[in-house]
């Protein structure tokens, strides 16, 4: 996950400079190995970080969800965190089936 792209998405939703500062500091804080060596970070979010799932979902909204809607609008999908699945057929309220039939390609 590229920090520049992630921070661009964050800035679209957060206007408070102090929050942006903490997110940027948190993303770029060095990683310390078991041997005590510090490694700089320029991409990704810290594994197990409390804000990592939120930032990943925000990034995936722009990097995947919006891309799918633009390029494959007839291909419904469901994403939970980083897991994806095609939803074919797609069910709407009342139990009726709409959208694509099983085996039909998701091409626009």
């Amino acid at each position: 996950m590229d920090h520049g792209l992630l921070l661009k998405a964050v800035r679209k939703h957060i206007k408070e400079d102090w929050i942006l500062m903490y997110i940027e500091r948190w993303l770029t804080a060095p990683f310390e190995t078991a041997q005590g060596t510090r490694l700089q970070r320029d991409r990704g979010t810290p594994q197990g970080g409390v804000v990592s799932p939120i930032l990943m979902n925000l990034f995936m909204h722009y990097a995947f969800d919006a891309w799918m809607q633009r390029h494959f609008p007839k291909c419904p999908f469901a994403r939970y965190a980083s897991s994806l699945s095609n939803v074919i057929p797609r069910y709407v309220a009342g139990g009726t089936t709409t959208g694509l039939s099983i085996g039909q390609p998701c091409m626009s």
Side-chain angles (χ1 to χ4, degrees), residues 3-57:
H3 286 173
L5 292 174
L6 176 58
L7 289 170
K8 182 179 177 181
V10 168
R11 284 186 188 99
K12 187 170 183 172
H13 297 276
I14 296 177
K15 304 301 180 206
E16 292 82 1
D17 289 336
W18 67 273
I19 296 174
L20 295 169
M21 178 188 69
Y22 278 108
I23 291 173
E24 189 167 359
R25 284 182 180 177
W26 176 74
L27 286 172
T28 59
F31 172 77
E32 189 168 324
T33 67
Q35 293 76 27
T37 306
R38 288 186 176 195
L39 305 173
Q40 293 299 315
R41 291 190 241 213
D42 60 353
R43 62 184 177 269
T45 61
Q47 181 70 25
V50 295
V51 183
S52 290
I54 296 168
L55 293 176
M56 187 279 309
N57 270 315

Side-chain angles (χ1 to χ4, degrees), residues 89-105:
R90 185 167 124 198
Y91 292 93
V92 295
T96 60
T97 304
T98 63
L100 302 169
S101 60
I102 295 174
Q104 180 181 357

